Amino acid sequence: KGRVLGSDGEGLPGVKILIALDCVHRANLVALPGRGILAGTTAADGAFVVDQLAFGPWHLLFEAPGYVLAEREGRIERAGQTDASVVLRLEKGLDISGKVVCKDGELPKDMRIGARLVPPPKEQHGPVNAPDDDQPNVPKDDVRSRYGTVEADGTFVITGLKAWSSYRLIASRKTDDAAGWKAFTAVEPQNVPAGSRGIELVYKPESALIFRVVDDTSGLPLTDLVVAAGIGRERALRDDKGEIVHAFPDGKVRFPELRVPIGSRKPLVLRVSATGYKDHENKDVGVRPGQELDMGEIRLVPEHVVVVTVTDAVTSAPIEGARVLLSSQKTDEEMRDLANSPSEANLLGDSAWKVGVTGADGKARVTSIPGKSVGMIASAKDHRPSKIEHALLPDDADHAITLELGRGGTVVAKVTDAAGHPIAGVGIEHRLPRRNAEDEEIEEPRKSNGEGIVRFEALIDGVHSFRVHEEQGEVYFWSEEETQDQSPRWIDVGVAEGQSADVEFTAPPRGDVHGVVREGGQPVEGAHIKFVPRKEGVVEGEGEQGMAYWGGAADPFSTITNQDGEYKLEHLRCGDYSAMVMTAGRRMGAEFRVRVTPENSVHDFDLDVSGIEGVVLDENGSPLAGVSVNCWRMKGGLNVESPYHMVVTEDDRGNPRVDWQQISSTRLVTDENGHYVLSGLVSDEPVMVGVDGDWVEHGQSPPITLSPGEMRHGVDFKLKLAGKVEVTLGKGGPHQQEWFMARLSKGEDDKMQVVGQTWIGGWNRTNTIGSVLPGHDKIALRHYGNEAAPSVAEAEVDVLVGQVTKVTL
C-alpha cells in the first residue's frame, strides 16, 4: 500500500502501477527489464494498493503522463504481510516534440513514436582505457520506452523524459489484428536530447506490389500460394507473427514494406509459387521508391505434378499427414537430414524444395520439375523415413510413385541398481549403425523413467549400440592425469523391422538432495546451486584445482533457489560432490563438500560475506580509473564463473534484442577515484588480487586469508604508467600463412627478460602488446610452436608512456 505524489506534493491520480516481471518470474533465466504487468492505477488522492504479491522481493514501476518513470523495490518476508510504507514523489519530466513529414504521398494511420534512453558513453580517465561494455549500467526503469501518438498532421509529443539524457526515437505501427505494435522501417530512427523541439522525422513511403493470381487456363483465382520478393534476394511474405502467408482470398496479394533505395542498380525480384503450377518469376520488377505498383493479373501456367502415395510398409495402409520432399538440387544426405527433422518444420518459400502433405488417402500432389532428375523422400510421426527414390520426371506427363514408411525396430533399455531395483533419471546413449569405419553418430542421451525404462522406437535395421551415460557436469580439473577412457562400454543390439529387443544396464544408485541457502541468517532467493561430481582419487590441496561452468536450465546438476531459499536436485548419482553456490552479489562461488546418498539427503548452505577493497594509484598518487581487478584462489577448490541469464530488450527498430549477461559481472574495474570493492570472496583460505590495464604495469597483492564475514580494507596498488607496442607482420616472405610469436624483452643480451608477447599470422597480421613499461626493448619473431629456434626477424623499439609504438617485422 502507498501513495504517489506529484511534483507539487499533492496526491497524483491515474498513475499506472506495474508489477515488474523480474519479481513475477523469479526462478527462470530470462530477464525482461522495463517490462511489467499492469496492477492498477492510483485513486484521486494518489493512494494505491497492489495485492496478491508472492512473498519475497517486490519491484513496482510507476508511470504517469508528463512524469519520469519511477520504480520502488522492497521485500515481503511472509505470506499475509502488508507493507504500507511506500510513498514516492514523481519527478516532472521533459518533452520531445516534433513532426513526421512525408514529402511524397500521405502518412499512414495508427503510428506512434517511442523514445528509448541512450546510455551515455563511459568517460575515459587518463591513459587508462575503460573496458568496452555492450550493456552499460542503466537503471531498470530507464529501459522502458515512452511513447507519443502521431496525429493526422504528423505531429507527436513524448512526455516524462529525464533531463540531461538522450533518447532514440523509433517509429512503430499497429499490427493488422490490432493485438500490438511492430517496428516501422519507413521512418529512420534518430537520437535526440530530452527537451528537444521541432524534431523532424522523415517518412519514406514504402514500395508495395499488388496483384491477383489466377489459373492461366480457367482464369479462376488461386488462393493457396507462396509469394517472395526483394532486392537482389527475395524473401517470403510473412504475417505479423512471422509466419509465412500462404492463404490469399480471391487470389489477391499485397506485398508491402519493400525498401527500394534511390538509384539502386539491384533489381527487385518477384516469385509466385503454387502446387501444380510453374513458378512465376520476374527478376526485374520496375517499381520505384515509394510506389505502390499494381501489376494486374499474374497468370500461373498449370504444371504436371508428382502424385506420391505414402503407405505403411507392413500393413500397406495409407498414412495421413506424411510430409513429402522433392528436390533436384539437394544431396541424399541433405534429404535424409531434413526428413529426420520435425515433420511440422515449415519449408514454404524455399525454392530448393517441393513440399507436399498427404491427405486421408495417403496421397500428396507435388509440383513436378519436368525433365529433371529428382530425389524424393517421405516422413511421418512414429515411422522411419522412406528410402530416397530417384526418378527422371517426364516432360509431358504427371508422375506417380509410392513411398513406404517402415515402423522400424524397438529396443527397450532397463536400468537397475546392483539389487535389481529400477533407477529413474539415468541417461542412456544410443549409437546408430555405422555407415563406414570412421562414421559414428551418437544421439543425445535419454533418461530412464520411474520404472527404469527407456524406449528407442522407429529404429532402422542394423546393429545399434547402447551404454549408460553418466553426467559429469560442465567442469574441468586441471590436475587430472591422462588416463584410459573409463566410459561405460557399448552393448550392441541387432535391430530388425517390426522386431523388439531388450537390453539391461546396472548403474550406481541415485538420490535426491535438498536444502536451504542463507546469507547472514536470511534465506536467499535466486541463488544458483551447482553440484560438481568429485573424481575418485583426487586429493585435497593442489590436486583439485579446476573450473566449473553453469549448464543452464537443462543441466541436471544445477538449479535456483525459490523465495524461501529452498532448492532441490533429483536423480543424482550417489557419491561425493562440490556444491557451488553463486548469487548476484558474489565475485566467487562458495564451495561446500557434500555427499549424496540413496536416502533423501539434506544439505543447507550458509554463506558468509567476505571481501577486499582498496584503491589503484599511479606513481604520483593520482587515481587510475578503468583498471581491471581480479581475484583468484591460490590453492585447491573450484573456480566458477557467474551464471548467465537471457536479457530481452529492444533494438533500434523496436524489435526484441536478446543478449546473454552474467548475473554478477566477473569483470570489475576501478571507478573514477581508482576505488574497487570485491565482495563475496571465499574465506579461510588464501586468495590473491591482481590488477592490470593496457596503459599500466601489472600488479598483484600478497596472499590474503579472510575470516568469515571480514571486509579487508586498504589493499592498495601503486602502478607505473606504461605504453603499448603494435606488431605487424610485413608483406612478402615465404611464410605468410604461418603463425608467429612476437616476444618483447628488456635487458642486456645475457640477462634478457620477457615482458610481453603476442601472436600474428597470415589472417591476423597485426596485434598489440600492452602494459609495457617505458624504455628501450627488443622484439623477436619466431615460428609458433618452435619458439626455441632462432628468430626469423628482430627489431628494437623505444616505448613511451601513453603512446603506441608501431613496429613491422
Side-chain angles (χ1 to χ4, degrees), residues 444-576:
E444 287 292 319
R446 304 185 197 178
K447 297 292 183 69
S448 57
N449 61 18
E451 298 176 348
I453 299 294
V454 185
R455 295 182 62 86
F456 297 86
E457 298 179 308
L459 303 179
I460 61 175
D461 290 358
V463 177
H464 295 250
S465 303
F466 302 87
R467 71 178 179 186
V468 171
H469 174 76
E470 292 289 5
E471 297 273 6
Q472 298 299 322
E474 296 190 41
V475 61
Y476 174 71
F477 290 97
W478 296 317
S479 60
E480 286 181 8
E481 297 181 356
E482 294 293 331
T483 58
Q484 293 184 346
D485 185 9
Q486 300 297 316
S487 301
R489 67 181 182 88
W490 291 100
I491 297 179
D492 296 334
V493 179
V495 175
E497 176 72 30
Q499 302 297 312
S500 179
D502 297 327
V503 60
E504 295 187 358
F505 296 96
T506 301
R510 261 57 178 174
D512 299 342
V513 60
H514 66 91
V516 177
V517 176
R518 298 183 180 88
E519 190 174 66
Q522 296 297 316
V524 179
E525 180 182 21
H528 290 249
I529 315 292
K530 183 174 181 67
F531 275 47
V532 179
R534 302 300 307 175
K535 296 286 186 181
E536 292 184 9
V538 177
V539 297
E540 299 287 334
E542 297 293 339
E544 57 179 358
Q545 294 188 39
M547 173 65 76
Y549 304 93
W550 304 92
D555 183 3
F557 292 96
S558 65
T559 187
I560 304 174
T561 57
N562 63 15
Q563 68 270 13
D564 296 320
E566 299 171 338
Y567 76 92
K568 185 176 183 179
L569 292 168
E570 299 178 313
H571 309 309
L572 295 185
R573 186 176 72 250
C574 294
D576 294 323

Side-chain angles (χ1 to χ4, degrees), residues 329-521:
Q329 305 175 33
K330 299 296 184 179
T331 65
D332 285 4
E333 184 176 359
E334 290 173 311
M335 298 193 78
R336 288 192 194 95
D337 289 343
L338 188 55
N340 282 309
S341 69
S343 59
E344 61 270 16
N346 194 336
L347 296 174
L348 295 175
D350 190 334
S351 60
W353 297 97
K354 303 293 184 183
V355 186
V357 178
T358 59
D361 58 356
K363 296 182 183 296
R365 298 174 76 252
V366 183
T367 305
S368 180
I369 312 176
K372 294 287 186 179
S373 179
V374 301
M376 290 170 281
I377 191 170
S379 59
K381 187 178 180 181
D382 298 328
H383 288 78
R384 292 294 311 164
S386 69
K387 294 181 180 178
I388 297 176
E389 296 290 346
H390 293 275
L392 177 63
L393 299 181
D395 289 320
D396 55 358
D398 291 344
H399 185 74
I401 191 171
T402 298
L403 300 178
E404 293 184 336
L405 303 187
R407 292 188 177 272
T410 300
V411 171
V412 180
K414 185 172 183 180
V415 187
T416 60
D417 60 18
H421 301 127
I423 305 178
V426 178
I428 301 296
E429 280 186 311
H430 170 213
R431 185 174 66 192
L432 277 67
R434 295 175 181 265
R435 299 175 186 172
N436 52 61
E438 292 77 25
D439 177 66
E440 184 175 68
E441 183 177 353
I442 301 175
E443 293 181 340
E444 287 292 319
R446 304 185 197 178
K447 297 292 183 69
S448 57
N449 61 18
E451 298 176 348
I453 299 294
V454 185
R455 295 182 62 86
F456 297 86
E457 298 179 308
L459 303 179
I460 61 175
D461 290 358
V463 177
H464 295 250
S465 303
F466 302 87
R467 71 178 179 186
V468 171
H469 174 76
E470 292 289 5
E471 297 273 6
Q472 298 299 322
E474 296 190 41
V475 61
Y476 174 71
F477 290 97
W478 296 317
S479 60
E480 286 181 8
E481 297 181 356
E482 294 293 331
T483 58
Q484 293 184 346
D485 185 9
Q486 300 297 316
S487 301
R489 67 181 182 88
W490 291 100
I491 297 179
D492 296 334
V493 179
V495 175
E497 176 72 30
Q499 302 297 312
S500 179
D502 297 327
V503 60
E504 295 187 358
F505 296 96
T506 301
R510 261 57 178 174
D512 299 342
V513 60
H514 66 91
V516 177
V517 176
R518 298 183 180 88
E519 190 174 66

Side-chain angles (χ1 to χ4, degrees), residues 182 201 206 556 612 618 645 713 749:
K182 68 174 182 178
L201 300 178
E206 65 184 9
I612 296 173
D618 65 15
H645 64 169
H713 302 283
D749 290 341

Side-chain angles (χ1 to χ4, degrees), residues 35-159:
R35 309 292 178 89
I37 298 170
L38 184 62
T41 58
T42 57
D45 61 352
F48 70 88
V49 176
V50 178
D51 58 5
Q52 297 187 359
L53 288 169
F55 64 90
W58 56 262
H59 179 200
L60 301 180
L61 305 177
F62 298 84
E63 186 176 47
Y67 289 88
V68 175
L69 193 75
E71 64 176 335
R72 286 292 185 274
E73 295 182 87
R75 183 179 182 87
I76 294 176
E77 298 296 343
R78 63 184 185 279
Q81 178 184 350
T82 297
D83 185 346
S85 64
V86 182
V87 177
L88 71 155
R89 184 192 297 252
L90 297 188
E91 173 191 349
K92 199 71 174 176
L94 299 181
D95 299 345
I96 290 177
S97 63
K99 186 174 184 179
V100 181
V101 298
C102 180
K103 298 180 180 179
D104 184 16
E106 296 181 356
L107 287 176
K109 299 179 181 179
D110 297 327
M111 200 171 28
R112 71 179 184 181
I113 305 297
R116 181 165 58 86
L117 187 78
V118 178
K122 289 200 170 185
E123 296 182 7
Q124 302 289 326
H125 299 276
V128 182
N129 284 341
D132 293 333
D133 191 352
D134 293 334
Q135 293 292 329
N137 186 21
V138 177
K140 300 173 188 176
D141 59 334
D142 287 338
V143 181
R144 187 173 178 84
S145 296
R146 310 305 299 268
Y147 296 96
T149 301
V150 177
E151 305 298 336
D153 62 352
T155 59
F156 65 89
V157 178
I158 308 171
T159 66

Side-chain angles (χ1 to χ4, degrees), residues 203-281:
Y203 165 69
K204 297 178 180 179
E206 65 184 9
S207 298
L209 304 178
I210 57 174
F211 49 87
R212 185 169 182 258
V213 184
V214 300
D215 182 297
D216 184 57
T217 302
S218 66
L220 295 175
L222 300 177
T223 60
D224 191 354
L225 15 125
V226 176
V227 182
I231 301 293
R233 179 183 179 186
E234 67 270 26
R235 57 179 177 82
L237 179 62
R238 296 177 180 268
D239 60 21
D240 292 331
K241 297 179 180 179
E243 300 293 333
I244 293 178
V245 180
H246 61 89
F248 296 89
D250 199 34
K252 293 180 179 179
V253 178
R254 185 178 187 275
F255 202 118
E257 297 185 13
L258 292 170
R259 309 305 300 166
V260 182
I262 296 175
S264 173
R265 296 184 178 181
K266 291 185 178 180
L268 189 142
V269 179
L270 170 68
R271 190 179 73 250
V272 182
S273 306
T275 300
Y277 293 86
K278 293 181 180 179
D279 284 359
H280 169 86
E281 190 172 48

